[in-house]
Amino acid sequence: MLTEEKNINVEEQVVAYCKDNIINQDIKHPLYPARLGAYELFRAHGLPTTRNEQWKYTNISSKLERIPSQSDVKPVPVNLDNFINNFEIVKKAKENKDSVLVFMDGAMQSQLSIVNTDTKTVSVTSLKKDPIPDWAVKLNSEKHSQNVNEMFNLNTALMEDGAIININNNKGIADNIYIIHVGNNDGFYNYRHMINVQNGAHVNIIEFKISNKVDIEALYTSSIIWQIGNNCVVNNVKYQAHNQITIGFNQQYADIANDTEFNSFTISSGSKLLREFRDINCNGSNSNISISGINLLDGDSHIDTMLSVKHKAPNTISREKYKSILNDNSKGVFQGNIIVDDIAQKTIAKQSIDALILSKNAEHDAKPELEIYADDVQCGHGATTGQISQDSLFYLKSRGIPEEEAKRLLVHAFLTDALEEIKDKKILETFADVMNNMLNRVSKGNLNV
Amino acid sequence: MFNISNLTVSVEDNEILNNFSLDVGPGEVHAIMGPNGSGKSTLAHVCAGKEDYTVLNGEINLNGEDLLDLEADERSTKGLFLAFQYPIEIPGVTTLTFLKSSLEAHYKANNKEVLSTPDFMKLVKKKSAELNIDDSMIKRPLNVGFSGGEKKRNEILQMALLDPEICILDETDSGLDIDALRLVAEGVNNLRNEKRSFIVITHYQRLLDYIKPDFVHIMYNGKIIETGDSSLALELEKSGYNNYIK
Ligand SMILES: Nc1ncnc2c1ncn2[C@@H]1O[C@H](COP(=O)(O)OP(=O)(O)O)[C@@H](O)[C@H]1O
Ligand SMILES: [Mg+2]
């Protein structure tokens, strides 16, 4: 079979790439044991196939044909500085003295980044700098030792750079940290952020991932590992707009202690293939989390979200609300697991996955799964797939609203309750323009079904 | 002013309107009455530009311009308004947002300066007070959870804001109690003037006690089979449709 052959080819390429990478690593580096272990695991299992239940609807080999060849020199282009500074959001962030961390092709750009040192509550280093803080080494090896996720292992074996962020504030005033990642050159990039939110800290972390040009062929793996303490408020919004040839595998792990609020919202658009893996653990009681998002897919984009929320202590609340809009030949996949341990009494867990399909050939598969071992819980899930209602469209048009604007209103209406999961009103405002642009694109697209 | 001539319309190979003609002059009120299924809503939808119908023949002219080639939104901005028999519920779009988009679309299409937000709010407040519509209603999602009466008052509010030349009211009286009916009829009567015309589609003579028509037409099987003045509605009420249906 042709696809099998392809898979074996690209898999061999990836294994060889890992091997070269491992040989070049310093064996005394504190992350080396994790790297080596991850490499061995990856070599043993290879790339996941659709036989793996977690990859049932996503065939990597049909999307990933090769490792994109990398240009030897990767200079920071003169225009990148301009590009970043032209970002309205970055301008505002700088004015507000927020921290802005800039990455290009997986590598931190210290000369373009600013860390607010005034408050002494945020400290940032990178994976490339020595010494790696002890907590980061520990977190890394913990996650690695329990891990069976192939793409995470690949990321561990290959990770080159990433932000290591420690937040230690306790006055109830949130630190704002922007992480901006620009894809600027063809190639294979691997990075990992680790974020330690100490007891009582409030933080907003806003990530942007964008392709600078439409023809950059990037393959990447990225991971974020969150360690969140007691009594924290963490708002995380990630906006990723890749071009149509980027392939990305994102892993997010979060461990959440007691009495903490964690809201993580993802807006994704574009990509040839994008995998969003999330593993969220409510380890302490009385925490309240929302893992939600919006996917906007067109062309041949394929976005696969694999979400697992584990309630491991009593009295925790989780909400997952995802809305997808699919056009052209795009495909969306959502697998959402909610696991409630036997001690996690009084858990409230709600999941809703809705898709709005705008074309004949777009497809959305949603598979919710509940594993509940406690008896006193409220858990529910629902999934819908629908189209724009012609009656609604006619009603709006009959009031003079042109078709494009009417569709925009209806698409926005569909997204509204998901957007409400962005709990920080300032962040929501920040995203108003971004959302508007996105909606313009959707309503201007060839939506004529 | 508004002229429908020889309109023949089919849906899925069934002819619903059959060589239908009607001329409405400026400031006139025409009532169209007829049993269920005679094609009244179809007529209203075709005039407003709904796409599920096949127009086999005929013309719909507003001030001499054929509307049939125009999209629904263009017909609206040119001055046609349809008050729906069943207004559509749209969760996620507040009534206020909807009214604003709609009014702005009208101003833009007619090269008028768009109202500032405070002026828009003032206008909405004034018009909605006249229809007993309170603030909380216009802040709710469009028609969602509205009672029958609220939905119909909302239709009349839109009509009042958009300032149309020809208004088609499709069974605006259905599902209304007598107080709501009076309110809606008053709203319509306030909008009557020497230029604005109305086609009032109804089952019941009752509404015509409040909105006095200049002409009453009986519609059956996709065409008008009888025309008279307001006394025709009274007769119809007494004797029923059977006398007119051959
Ligand atoms: N979308 C449609 N598809 C099929 N038949 C329709 C459709 N709309 C209307 N009809 C038919 O056309 C006829 C007239 O309907 P309608 O215009 O709603 O009548 P009225 O408003 O006078 O009660 C009915 O027989 C109805 O079943
Ligand atoms: Mg009807």
Side-chain angles (χ1 to χ4, degrees):
Chain A
M1 251 169 50
L2 191 63
T3 51
E4 275 308 318
E5 261 172 38
K6 258 197 217 160
N7 193 0
I8 288 166
N9 260 331
V10 78
E11 194 167 274
E12 276 172 1
Q13 275 186 42
V14 175
V15 171
Y17 188 100
C18 283
K19 194 175 171 191
D20 286 351
N21 184 280
I22 288 290
I23 291 169
N24 289 322
Q25 295 290 332
D26 170 8
I27 60 168
K28 292 199 190 93
H29 193 277
L31 296 177
Y32 186 79
R35 270 187 205 286
L36 184 65
Y39 162 65
E40 276 163 2
L41 276 172
F42 180 76
R43 198 181 50 180
H45 291 104
L47 289 167
T49 68
T50 52
R51 283 190 296 272
N52 180 336
E53 196 59 29
Q54 299 204 341
W55 290 86
K56 203 171 161 187
Y57 303 96
T58 298
N59 183 350
I60 296 180
S61 65
S62 73
K63 292 279 185 179
L64 178 61
E65 287 159 29
R66 59 168 183 274
I67 297 179
S69 53
Q70 196 143 6
S71 33
D72 290 340
V73 234
K74 292 185 291 165
V76 177
V78 197
N79 68 0
L80 186 66
D81 199 1
N82 282 335
F83 179 78
I84 303 279
N85 284 311
N86 280 338
F87 243 128
E88 202 52 41
I89 289 172
V90 176
K91 242 188 252 165
K92 270 191 206 152
K94 286 184 175 168
E95 277 165 26
N96 295 340
K97 292 200 163 184
D98 297 331
S99 301
V100 180
L101 311 176
V102 177
F103 285 78
M104 186 186 80
D105 300 329
M108 197 189 235
Q109 308 298 311
S110 304
Q111 78 284 15
L112 298 179
S113 304
I114 338 159
V115 176
N116 177 5
T117 49
D118 290 1
T119 60
K120 299 190 172 58
T121 52
V122 175
S123 64
V124 177
T125 176
S126 86
L127 211 59
K128 269 204 175 134
K129 280 192 201 135
D130 288 330
I132 308 268
D134 288 345
W135 66 263
V137 174
K138 187 162 161 272
L139 187 59
N140 208 62
S141 70
E142 269 170 21
K143 272 298 160 228
H144 162 68
S145 65
Q146 327 157 353
N147 224 287
V148 290
N149 175 344
E150 293 90 338
M151 300 321 280
F152 181 73
N153 285 329
L154 183 59
N155 181 257
T156 308
L158 292 175
M159 60 190 179
E160 280 179 72
D161 204 348
I164 300 177
I165 305 174
N166 185 49
I167 299 125
N168 184 13
N169 67 45
N170 52 20
K171 297 216 174 76
I173 301 165
D175 279 300
N176 296 311
I177 301 170
Y178 289 79
I179 305 177
I180 297 179
H181 190 278
V182 183
N184 209 51
N185 288 286
D186 295 350
F188 185 18
Y189 306 107
N190 301 280
Y191 55 97
R192 169 167 304 180
H193 304 310
M194 284 178 268
I195 303 174
N196 187 29
V197 184
Q198 299 207 8
N199 291 341
H202 289 207
V203 66
N204 297 322
I205 296 201
I206 297 124
E207 293 169 75
F208 277 84
K209 290 169 122 175
I210 36 187
S211 310
N212 194 5
K213 302 190 201 95
V214 292
D215 58 351
I216 296 164
E217 191 184 350
L219 166 66
Y220 74 85
T221 71
S222 89
S223 304
I224 293 200
I225 309 178
W226 294 85
Q227 177 168 267
I228 304 175
N230 303 323
N231 294 302
C232 298
V233 178
V234 179
N235 289 304
N236 169 228
V237 177
K238 173 166 77 171
Y239 171 82
Q240 43 195 1
H242 294 306
N243 64 22
Q244 297 281 355
I245 50 176
T246 292
I247 295 182
F249 299 92
N250 290 315
Q251 279 70 229
Q252 184 194 50
Y253 289 89
D255 282 293
I256 298 156
N258 299 313
D259 301 290
T260 278
E261 189 182 326
F262 178 57
N263 301 305
S264 179
F265 195 90
T266 305
I267 303 170
S268 306
S269 77
S271 320
K272 185 176 182 184
L273 169 62
L274 187 65
R275 166 83 163 182
E276 284 288 307
F277 171 91
R278 293 157 161 240
D279 181 284
I280 314 292
N281 296 283
C282 297
N283 299 326
S285 54
N286 302 318
S287 285
N288 188 335
I289 67 163
S290 163
I291 310 295
S292 301
I294 287 173
N295 295 320
L296 265 184
L297 285 75
D298 59 5
D300 294 315
S301 288
H302 180 125
I303 299 187
D304 175 331
T305 305
M306 170 79 225
L307 172 58
S308 161
V309 173
K310 296 172 189 140
H311 292 266
K312 297 178 170 172
N315 280 309
T316 55
I317 300 175
S318 72
R319 279 182 321 287
E320 292 139 42
K321 196 181 273 282
Y322 273 82
K323 299 259 179 160
S324 298
I325 297 191
L326 299 103
N327 199 11
D328 303 333
N329 304 308
S330 61
K331 185 169 169 181
V333 175
F334 191 98
Q335 293 194 68
N337 297 349
I338 299 173
I339 301 161
V340 182
D341 281 0
D342 52 1
I343 59 157
Q345 299 294 354
K346 309 270 184 212
T347 290
I348 300 177
K350 298 267 155 69
Q351 182 187 86
S352 70
I353 312 303
D354 300 301
L356 185 65
I357 310 255
L358 302 177
S359 68
K360 276 199 205 82
N361 296 326
E363 183 187 326
H364 192 258
D365 300 301
K367 198 174 127 227
E369 250 174 31
L370 300 178
E371 275 178 57
I372 299 170
Y373 302 103
D375 41 32
D376 186 10
V377 299
Q378 292 176 46
C379 294
H381 63 82
T384 66
T385 300
Q387 279 138 20
I388 281 194
S389 146
Q390 290 304 311
D391 286 340
S392 302
L393 198 58
F394 174 60
Y395 190 61
L396 296 177
K397 284 176 76 180
S398 80
R399 300 308 184 236
I401 301 171
E403 178 142 337
E404 205 177 273
E405 173 67 12
K407 280 186 175 163
R408 194 192 140 85
L409 280 170
L410 293 172
V411 168
H412 190 268
F414 171 77
L415 299 177
T416 299
D417 58 333
L419 282 172
E420 280 165 9
E421 293 297 320
I422 300 182
K423 297 294 177 195
D424 187 282
K425 290 303 156 232
K426 269 217 183 107
I427 301 183
L428 188 57
E429 260 172 47
T430 306
F431 275 90
D433 285 348
V434 175
M435 282 305 299
N436 273 334
N437 289 339
M438 257 174 38
L439 287 172
N440 282 339
R441 214 186 87 210
V442 172
S443 51
K444 281 208 181 87
N446 38 353
L447 296 184
N448 305 318
V449 181
Chain B
M1 215 272 318
F2 186 63
N3 315 88
I4 304 171
S5 44
N6 306 318
L7 190 64
T8 300
V9 170
S10 71
V11 179
E12 293 163 2
D13 293 335
N14 298 322
E15 231 171 74
I16 315 284
L17 297 183
N18 181 356
N19 219 15
F20 182 98
S21 296
L22 178 68
D23 290 311
V24 180
E28 291 176 2
V29 176
H30 291 245
I32 297 180
M33 306 183 73
N36 268 334
S38 49
K40 301 184 299 295
S41 291
T42 302
L43 174 70
H45 285 147
V46 172
C47 287
K50 197 166 193 229
E51 279 164 5
D52 316 344
Y53 305 93
T54 314
V55 177
L56 298 170
N57 189 35
E59 280 186 21
I60 303 176
N61 282 302
L62 178 59
N63 296 321
E65 183 177 8
D66 191 356
L67 297 184
L68 282 175
D69 292 334
L70 301 181
E71 292 273 312
D73 53 305
E74 298 169 302
R75 299 186 198 195
S76 168
T77 53
K78 288 198 186 290
L80 183 141
F81 184 89
L82 167 63
F84 280 53
Q85 179 173 5
Y86 304 110
I88 308 293
E89 301 189 3
I90 307 189
V93 178
T94 65
T95 307
L96 203 58
T97 303
F98 163 72
L99 294 176
K100 196 153 191 281
S101 300
S102 160
L103 207 56
E104 281 180 3
H106 274 252
Y107 288 142
K108 274 184 202 149
N110 294 304
N111 295 319
K112 284 203 235 163
E113 206 177 315
V114 173
L115 285 185
S116 69
T117 302
D119 287 347
F120 163 76
M121 290 304 298
K122 251 184 242 160
L123 182 67
V124 171
K125 283 221 161 98
K126 179 167 164 272
K127 301 276 184 198
S128 46
E130 286 169 12
L131 287 157
N132 233 354
I133 292 174
D134 61 37
D135 277 7
S136 71
M137 193 172 129
I138 56 175
K139 283 180 187 142
R140 273 152 58 193
L142 185 56
N143 291 323
V144 178
F146 285 24
S147 70
E150 284 175 329
K151 281 183 184 164
K152 296 300 170 81
R153 274 185 280 150
N154 192 14
E155 294 291 289
I156 305 301
L157 172 63
Q158 293 161 40
M159 191 163 93
L161 285 169
L162 296 180
D163 196 22
E165 284 189 57
I166 173 78
C167 308
I168 304 173
L169 278 63
D170 191 3
E171 300 210 21
T172 297
D173 52 338
S174 67
L176 296 189
D177 62 32
I178 197 76
D179 292 329
L181 181 69
R182 199 174 288 137
L183 205 63
V184 163
E186 250 171 49
V188 172
N189 286 330
N190 288 339
L191 293 173
R192 283 180 76 163
N193 62 34
E194 68 282 2
K195 277 205 197 134
R196 184 176 291 129
S197 318
F198 292 83
I199 296 174
V200 180
I201 295 170
T202 180
H203 255 331
Y204 304 104
Q205 194 272 333
R206 188 174 78 147
L207 178 68
L208 304 180
D209 284 341
Y210 296 97
I211 305 173
K212 291 272 185 278
D214 302 303
F215 301 92
V216 174
H217 310 278
I218 300 177
M219 184 166 175
Y220 183 65
N221 259 347
K223 64 169 115 191
I224 288 173
I225 55 166
E226 188 80 34
T227 293
D229 59 18
S230 58
S231 64
L232 180 59
L234 289 167
E235 256 170 63
L236 196 62
E237 181 88 344
K238 265 184 244 142
S239 58
Y241 288 114
N242 282 337
N243 279 349
Y244 301 91
I245 298 168
K246 281 129 223 167

